[in-house]
Amino acid sequence: MSNKLDGLALDQLFRTARTRNGWTDRPVTQEQLRELYDLMKFGPTSSNSCPARFVWIRSAEAKSRLAALAAPNNAPKILAAPVTVIVGYDLDFAEQLPRLFPARGKEMQAYFSDPLVAETTSFRNSSLQGAYLIIAARALGLDCGPMSGFSNEAVDSEFFANTRIKSNFICSIGYGSNENLFPRNPRLMFDEAGRFA
Ligand SMILES: Cc1cc2nc3c(=O)[nH]c(=O)nc-3n(C[C@H](O)[C@H](O)[C@H](O)COP(=O)(O)O)c2cc1C
């Protein structure tokens, strides 16, 4: 039996949570990032494929390498954030299925090894896992700043060379400041975004 979360928890996860463009100096430790991973990893993926792969950018040197490949408005945010994670997806994720889905792993490995199925599945599910990461970070009291303004090809060669891992999006993580915080933009109403059928 699950209970509905209280209003304060829902505020923290959704209603008052904001995408941050500025960061305080408060650090984020490796232990916090492990705790974050150990929470978000339980978010569901197709056949428990878990295709997302992560590079947690923490050093000044790695931040500079990533910032150099980002859009001009994103580069200073990467340099200022305590951490920016590259959320990637492994096109060879199916190799892990015998371990991740022991009941039918061999069959699933064969099915998901088809290149088109592998591409669609890994992009779809790594995007979901990136969303779980954002919500899990908020649940742990951290703020996020997701970004797709960077060269995927350049990031792939810089951080995923000689692998079959591709970058999806990047996300700064830390304790946000109100620097460059824009007014909250509206969202679509229920009836604009959907309908009952
Ligand atoms: C996948 C993704 C990519 C984004 N890319 C960028 C980006 O490259 N640069 C940027 O300034 N904001 C980027 N954003 C931030 C969005 O504009 C922001 O999350 C959205 O406007 C909602 O803001 P709010 O959470 O403060 O309401 C991105 C957000 C997401 C989820």
Side-chain angles (χ1 to χ4, degrees):
M1 261 301 269
S2 298
N3 293 317
K4 183 174 175 179
L5 296 181
D6 66 32
L8 281 179
L10 297 178
D11 286 348
Q12 180 169 329
L13 295 179
F14 294 102
R15 289 189 291 239
T16 57
R18 295 297 313 277
T19 296
R20 295 291 163 174
N21 295 308
W23 303 96
T24 68
D25 291 337
R26 188 170 165 191
V28 175
T29 63
Q30 285 196 19
E31 290 66 35
Q32 283 177 287
L33 297 174
R34 289 179 185 279
E35 184 184 18
L36 171 57
Y37 178 77
D38 282 335
L39 193 57
M40 57 80 43
K41 72 182 180 188
F42 289 110
T45 53
S46 310
S47 301
N48 197 35
S49 52
C50 304
R53 302 290 180 267
F54 304 92
V55 182
W56 309 92
I57 303 280
R58 300 175 74 237
S59 72
E61 176 267 339
K63 286 179 194 175
S64 303
R65 281 162 56 211
L66 181 61
L69 309 174
N73 62 317
N74 288 335
K77 299 191 251 183
I78 294 166
L79 296 174
V83 182
T84 298
V85 61
I86 305 172
V87 179
Y89 54 98
D90 188 357
L91 292 169
D92 287 333
F93 69 89
E95 289 173 6
Q96 302 294 330
L97 283 172
R99 182 157 71 96
L100 296 176
F101 205 112
R104 287 199 292 129
K106 278 280 167 206
E107 286 161 65
M108 299 213 171
Q109 183 176 10
Y111 175 70
F112 286 115
S113 295
D114 174 85
L116 251 181
V117 176
E119 170 72 42
T120 309
T121 304
S122 55
F123 186 69
R124 174 185 298 132
N125 287 279
S126 68
S127 302
L128 283 170
Q129 289 184 279
Y132 305 145
L133 173 98
I134 293 170
I135 304 305
R138 290 173 172 178
L140 295 174
L142 295 161
D143 292 303
C144 290
M147 292 169 273
S148 52
F150 63 92
S151 163
N152 288 86
E153 294 71 26
V155 166
D156 295 351
S157 347
E158 185 69 25
F159 293 96
F160 297 125
N162 305 314
T163 74
R164 296 244 299 148
I165 302 173
K166 305 285 174 205
S167 54
N168 186 335
F169 71 97
I170 61 176
C171 185
S172 293
I173 301 170
Y175 296 93
S177 72
N178 286 341
E179 186 188 343
N180 294 327
L181 184 66
F182 306 110
R184 176 75 114 179
N185 283 323
R187 302 311 203 240
L188 296 178
M189 303 295 285
F190 182 92
D191 293 320
E192 295 176 292
R195 63 189 169 87
F196 296 112

